[in-house]
């Protein structure tokens, strides 16, 4: 047993050194403290090395000691010294923005809950130029994020919102009917189609907002497409309702959604997507809590909603709005065949396909978020 303990201490020490070097706060016993991380790592490594027997047979303990050490480090990142929750981005005084406030957006007899964030430097001002509080909204394009099914206004949104803010764009992120703080109102078709015009109107009424773009994620993309068609934007031309649209991982249909698909998507998220960088910002516990915070209340199944919204048929009618389509080659819910079909229906659209990301992970890829934010900046300031 002393041999097993020595091997465990060596692997735990190596793991702590690696997590400290790579800045993986979610896999550390001491959080972001690099001095403490290196000190503890070398101490564990030294104690283990001094007590381990000098024979090759000790390597037989590594298949057991390695996974156990990883579990201890993950537990340390979750319970001993967890990183600040990424959703603290939506606090009013976070340094990444010039202000964030909760808003209630009129939609008939209902009020859509949302969070409105202002950039430190608006896109229409010179790069890096500071702005006074009274002028923080002047000349600022704005973007609304419409989440997907079971999604909320903050669910895995922090990287996308940061990328948009960094490009000088104001950001409104909302809960759809039946979701999050708007769960009391059932997601029912066609009543839900009023949500998109309501949030766009709200943004256009904000002082200093110049132009308005929209990002529709999955079901949110299907809702955005259908709402814009129903409100005559396709025939009236760009600028009457919306100035730019990003459709992100929206399936053509969803006929066979089962519980097994949930677990398959979870597996692809954990195993096949580049999730390691997330542990620089969040612990496993925080990621799991965020994953489990989804769900929605609706009269329809998700498959029925896509059948009613008909994104493939309707996107061909959005010929006057600058359009960007984004998909992933590893997405099981919106696979490459659906991506190609959507692009064929809207050949004028710009098209980006990530090499490796699950349906959930796509909005957490920094490279994709930067491309989305850059494209929207170009469209809304050009």
């Amino acid at each position: 047993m002393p041999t097993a303990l020595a091997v465990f201490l060596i692997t735990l020490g190596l793991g702590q050194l690696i997590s400290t070097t790579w800045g993986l706060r979610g896999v550390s016993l001491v959080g972001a403290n690099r001095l403490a991380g290196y000190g503890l790592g070398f101490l564990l490594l030294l104690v283990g090395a001094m007590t381990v027997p000098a024979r090759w047979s000790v390597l037989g303990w590594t298949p057991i000691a390695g996974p156990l050490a990883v579990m201890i480090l993950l537990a340390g990142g979750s319970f001993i010294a967890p990183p600040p929750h990424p959703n603290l981005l939506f606090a009013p005084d976070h340094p990444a923005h010039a202000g964030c406030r909760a808003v209630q957006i009129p939609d008939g007899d209902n009020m859509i809950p949302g969070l409105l964030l202002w950039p430190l430097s608006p896109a229409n001002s010179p790069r890096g130029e500071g702005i006074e509080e009274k002028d923080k909204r002047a000349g600022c394009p704005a973007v609304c994020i419409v989440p997907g099914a079971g999604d909320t206004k903050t669910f895995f949104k922090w990287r996308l919102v940061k990328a948009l803010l960094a490009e000088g764009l104001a950001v409104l992120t909302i809960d759809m009917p039946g979701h999050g703080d708007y769960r009391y109102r059932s997601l029912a078709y066609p009543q839900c189609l009023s949500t998109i015009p309501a949030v766009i109107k709200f943004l256009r009424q904000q002082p200093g907002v110049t132009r308005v773009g929209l990002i529709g994620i999955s079901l949110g993309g299907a809702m955005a497409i259908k709402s814009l068609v129903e409100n005559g934007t396709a025939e009236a031309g760009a600028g009457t309702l919306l100035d730019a649209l990003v459709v992100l991982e929206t399936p053509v249909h969803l006929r066979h959604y089962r519980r097994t698909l949930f677990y398959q998507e979870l597996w692809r998220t954990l195993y096949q997507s580049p999730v390691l960088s997330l542990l620089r910002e969040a612990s496993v516990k925080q990621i799991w809590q965020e994953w489990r915070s989804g769900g929605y209340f609706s009269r329809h199944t998700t498959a029925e909603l896509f059948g009613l919204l008909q994104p493939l048929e309707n996107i061909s009618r959005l010929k006057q709005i600058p359009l960007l389509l984004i998909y992933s080659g590893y997405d099981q819910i919106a696979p490459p065949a659906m991506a190609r079909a959507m692009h064929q229906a809207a050949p004028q659209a710009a098209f980006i396909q990530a090499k490796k990301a699950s349906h959930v992970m796509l909005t957490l890829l920094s490279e994709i978020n930067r491309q989305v934010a850059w494209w929207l900046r170009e469209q809304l300031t050009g």
Side-chain angles (χ1 to χ4, degrees), residues 4-5 7-9 11-12 29 61-76:
L5 179 59
V7 174
F8 170 70
L9 291 176
T11 55
L12 185 62
L29 298 173
W61 287 102
T62 54
I64 299 174
L68 182 60
V70 171
M71 291 175 62
I72 295 297
L73 290 168
L74 289 172

Side-chain angles (χ1 to χ4, degrees), residues 274-287:
V275 298
L276 191 61
S277 65
L278 278 181
L279 295 174
R280 295 191 178 101
E281 307 165 47
S283 69
V284 169
K285 180 183 177 183
Q286 291 167 343
I287 294 171

Side-chain angles (χ1 to χ4, degrees), residues 178-262:
H179 295 71
D181 294 328
Y182 206 13
R183 196 178 179 90
Y184 65 87
R185 180 188 177 189
S186 173
L187 179 59
Y189 180 88
Q191 292 87 342
C192 63
L193 296 181
S194 63
T195 302
I196 305 301
V199 296
I200 295 174
K201 179 181 178 182
F202 170 81
L203 282 177
R204 289 202 180 277
Q205 291 174 341
Q206 299 307 299
V209 168
T210 54
R211 304 181 76 185
V212 176
L214 189 144
I215 301 172
I217 302 173
S218 194
L219 181 64
M223 277 187 58
I225 293 167
K226 182 69 171 180
S227 296
L228 294 170
V229 168
E230 289 293 316
N231 282 275
T233 302
E235 290 77 15
T240 58
L241 183 63
L242 189 69
D243 297 301
L245 173 63
V246 177
V247 175
L248 206 152
E249 61 186 6
T250 294
V252 170
H253 56 74
L254 190 61
R255 295 178 181 174
H256 304 292
Y257 186 84
R258 302 181 301 273
R259 193 67 180 174
T260 54
L261 186 58
F262 172 88

Side-chain angles (χ1 to χ4, degrees), residues 211 238 242-246 318-324 375 379:
R211 304 181 76 185
L242 189 69
D243 297 301
L245 173 63
V246 177
L318 297 181
K319 297 179 180 179
Q320 303 300 321
I321 301 177
L323 180 62
L324 172 63
W375 184 87
Q379 300 303 318

Side-chain angles (χ1 to χ4, degrees), residues 1-10 47-48 51-53 55 58 61 64-65 68:
M1 192 56 66
T3 300
L5 179 59
V7 174
F8 170 70
L9 291 176
I10 291 172
V47 172
T51 56
V52 69
R55 53 177 183 266
V58 300
W61 287 102
I64 299 174
L68 182 60

